[in-house]
Amino acid sequence: MKFIEFGLDYKILKSIEEQGFKKPTDIQFKSIPPILKGEDVLAIAQTGTGKTAAFVVPILDILQKRKRGEHNTGTRCIVMAPTHELAEQIAQVFRELGKHTNLKFVSIFGGVDQAPQIAKLQAGVDVLIATPGRLFDLVSQEHLRIYKTEILVLDEADHMLDLGFNKDIHDLIKFLPKNRQTLFFSATISPTIKKLAYALVNKPIRIQISPKNTVAKNVVHSVAYIKMDDKRFFLERTVLENPDSKILVFVRTKVRAERVFKALERVDIKSVTIHGDKTQEERFNAMTSFRTGESKILIATDISARGIDIPNVDFVINYDLPDKDENYVHRVGRTGRGNQKGYAVSYCSEEEKELLADIEAYLGDAIEVITIAHDEYVDTLAFSQQSSTDWKTLMRDAEREETDFKKKKKPAKKKKKK
Ligand code: ADP
Ligand code: MG
């Protein structure tokens, strides 16, 4: 099967070729025809299998061929994504694959000044890629006209229909026309969320590439039992033994992200962090520096687990196990993208064994265990202690200084007494 067989506009075929896509991936092969026909689609396929182009390509073709309605001065297609970074990344795919068309793409998200975003919307856009909160604000302030929107896409659909986002989506849908085309894309979906999705659409076509919510086949993943306090030494060793590798480290909380950053800093290892407490600019800078390879280590919370496509991530390390079992699949799915191979390892402490059991139940399979021999475990701790700037050495030096100081002080006291 070749892209040319879908009957796509030559302007789109040209950019697909320039992008270096030789043939459609499975999910593209299965989703593109029904989307082109105008059907509603719920598509589930593993991480890194090209879901973005699976909706971007047919949407570009539809918008290119159908022409804007005479009285439609609003947004023709809305794509919703859970984070700023992902919205921007999807916008980039639209820009790349749509560069030979005259279609207009705009991405908007919260946390940045609204005025420039409003200015961009005034002229009418073809595709708007947004996070739900900011989108809803703009619609309710009447800066955004969506009553003639033709296509709605929810990327990371299960996450978007879950908890916090669900309300924003439902509020927004009230403003959209009923006869729109709705597309859902995700790597994971639970039966409850599937019901919520079906409630929003007409007779959707369901496309599921992998029968279960399993880890992408390009990712070799395993677990190692490591004490909570020893995790930093194993991370340090992995980093030092793989100096050229790009490593994405997932932690449970923002505070832990900063703590791991500091622990690495103490042993002279540079890293960047990304989490909800960072400003939009800091998040953007961290992501860019990791993407370009300027920073080899990115420490992130689960906000970055979804959808982010960074080439050549060699390792994903779950420094902490995720609280939500499906996030395991999303985290390890940041490596092994497209045709690349990836490795993921989870550091599981005694306290996290229950979480591990939940994740394995979710995967329907046990995760391979890397057995660390006692000697090797001790070695790793020793390995770290060799470093002169290591915190243990610093602590020992500090203790020594303190005792030396006390020793020196004592004779002085005695002198006074005399
Ligand atoms: P998903 O959303 O399924 O996790 P993405 O859409 O982010 O995956 O795509 C993962 C990677 O695969 C991207 O880097 C993308 O450029 C690449 N890719 C997408 N489609 C193709 C294709 N047909 N041939 C080769 N690479 C592709
Ligand atoms: Mg995706």
Side-chain angles (χ1 to χ4, degrees):
M1 176 76 193
K2 291 198 171 122
F3 278 103
I4 200 164
E5 292 170 58
F6 292 123
L8 300 164
D9 191 287
Y10 76 95
K11 289 180 180 160
I12 300 157
L13 282 174
K14 191 172 166 194
S15 50
I16 291 174
E17 198 185 318
E18 287 167 3
Q19 206 54 32
F21 296 175
K22 300 263 181 305
K23 59 181 177 64
T25 64
D26 286 352
I27 191 67
Q28 291 162 1
F29 170 68
K30 288 204 178 160
S31 327
I32 293 174
I35 297 176
L36 286 174
K37 272 199 237 157
E39 313 257 26
D40 288 343
V41 168
L42 168 68
I44 311 296
Q46 293 167 325
T47 56
T49 55
K51 290 189 288 296
T52 321
F55 61 82
V56 170
V57 165
I59 286 173
L60 287 170
D61 193 70
I62 291 171
L63 297 180
Q64 172 74 17
K65 286 177 180 160
R66 200 190 277 158
K67 303 295 172 213
R68 176 180 283 272
E70 224 182 298
H71 303 293
N72 185 7
T73 55
T75 302
R76 298 182 67 197
C77 168
I78 293 176
V79 180
M80 286 202 260
T83 58
H84 316 165
E85 288 78 18
L86 186 52
E88 190 48 41
Q89 180 184 299
I90 297 167
Q92 203 51 41
V93 176
F94 270 105
R95 285 181 201 119
E96 284 290 333
L97 293 175
K99 68 175 168 213
H100 300 299
T101 70
N102 291 322
L103 299 167
K104 203 170 150 200
F105 317 110
V106 173
S107 55
I108 57 166
F109 30 78
V112 294
D113 188 10
Q114 202 175 282
Q117 299 187 338
I118 294 169
K120 276 193 207 165
L121 296 172
Q122 289 313 316
V125 299
D126 290 289
V127 184
L128 180 65
I129 306 99
T131 51
R134 177 53 62 94
L135 191 60
F136 183 64
D137 290 346
L138 292 170
V139 170
S140 48
Q141 294 163 30
E142 295 181 8
H143 291 302
L144 187 60
R145 297 171 298 277
I146 62 171
Y147 61 96
K148 284 197 175 166
T149 293
E150 298 155 58
I151 308 168
L152 170 69
V153 184
L154 299 193
D155 194 24
E156 302 297 334
D158 60 333
H159 190 42
M160 302 297 284
L161 294 171
D162 200 5
L163 305 170
F165 287 126
N166 196 22
K167 189 186 173 310
D168 279 333
I169 304 268
H170 278 267
D171 287 344
L172 193 90
I173 276 173
K174 289 181 205 141
F175 292 90
L176 290 168
K178 280 225 162 60
N179 62 350
R180 64 170 190 271
Q181 182 176 13
T182 309
L183 312 173
F184 301 103
F185 278 81
S186 189
T188 54
I189 197 146
S190 70
T192 335
I193 301 284
K194 210 178 271 178
K195 265 191 210 154
L196 281 173
Y198 281 152
L200 295 175
V201 293
N202 304 313
K203 297 191 204 120
I205 306 273
R206 201 181 112 204
I207 299 166
Q208 194 150 357
I209 297 296
S210 53
K212 276 198 221 151
N213 297 328
T214 44
V215 172
K217 63 177 191 304
N218 298 8
V219 182
V220 176
H221 63 121
S222 50
V223 59
Y225 295 111
I226 300 171
K227 282 189 193 136
M228 193 57 97
D229 284 343
D230 297 338
K231 287 182 176 184
R232 57 180 158 242
F233 304 121
F234 282 85
L235 178 61
E236 179 189 345
R237 186 167 189 170
T238 306
V239 169
L240 294 180
E241 285 180 348
N242 300 280
D244 300 322
S245 298
K246 241 187 199 183
I247 304 176
L248 177 52
V249 183
F250 280 108
V251 291
R252 217 182 47 249
T253 63
K254 305 162 190 174
V255 172
R256 287 190 54 81
E258 290 307 317
R259 226 179 261 167
V260 175
F261 171 82
K262 290 231 170 74
L264 289 179
E265 199 177 41
R266 276 195 211 105
V267 290
D268 276 339
I269 296 172
K270 284 201 186 71
S271 64
V272 285
T273 60
I274 187 164
H275 53 70
D277 271 356
K278 296 265 163 168
T279 63
Q280 192 48 55
E281 194 185 352
E282 288 168 331
R283 281 166 64 160
F284 179 78
N285 289 344
M287 204 50 109
T288 311
S289 128
F290 188 57
R291 201 179 279 280
T292 58
E294 190 192 329
S295 301
K296 295 250 178 241
I297 301 147
L298 175 66
I299 305 162
T301 54
D302 279 310
I303 58 163
S304 309
R306 291 266 183 172
I308 297 302
D309 182 51
I310 296 174
N312 312 318
V313 173
D314 301 286
F315 296 99
V316 165
I317 294 180
N318 285 324
Y319 193 87
D320 299 321
L321 288 186
D323 295 329
K324 280 187 163 183
D325 37 25
E326 77 261 24
N327 277 351
Y328 180 84
V329 171
H330 294 284
R331 283 178 176 196
V332 303
R334 292 320 99 210
T335 182
R337 321 254 332 140
N339 301 323
Q340 294 177 331
K341 211 163 176 63
Y343 297 90
V345 59
S346 301
Y347 294 175
C348 180
S349 67
E350 200 54 42
E351 302 89 308
E352 292 169 294
K353 283 192 171 160
E354 224 169 282
L355 286 176
L356 179 66
D358 287 348
I359 293 165
E360 290 183 327
Y362 177 82
L363 300 177
D365 211 350
I367 301 170
E368 193 195 330
V369 178
I370 304 179
T371 19
I372 307 171
H374 179 72
D375 286 358
E376 201 189 328
Y377 197 107
V378 173
D379 245 22
T380 302
L381 307 193
F383 178 86
S384 175
Q385 286 161 16
Q386 285 165 9
S387 162
S388 63
T389 49
D390 165 67
W391 77 278
K392 272 199 172 170
T393 319
L394 285 178
M395 292 301 286
R396 256 202 318 272
D397 289 351
E399 274 167 32
R400 204 176 295 134
E401 270 169 32
E402 212 171 327
T403 30
D404 286 354
F405 181 69
K406 278 179 192 158
K407 270 184 206 159
K408 273 182 201 157
K409 254 192 159 180
K410 271 181 190 163
K413 272 184 189 171
K414 276 176 193 167
K415 254 186 193 173
K416 265 191 182 175
K417 272 184 184 172
K418 276 180 187 175

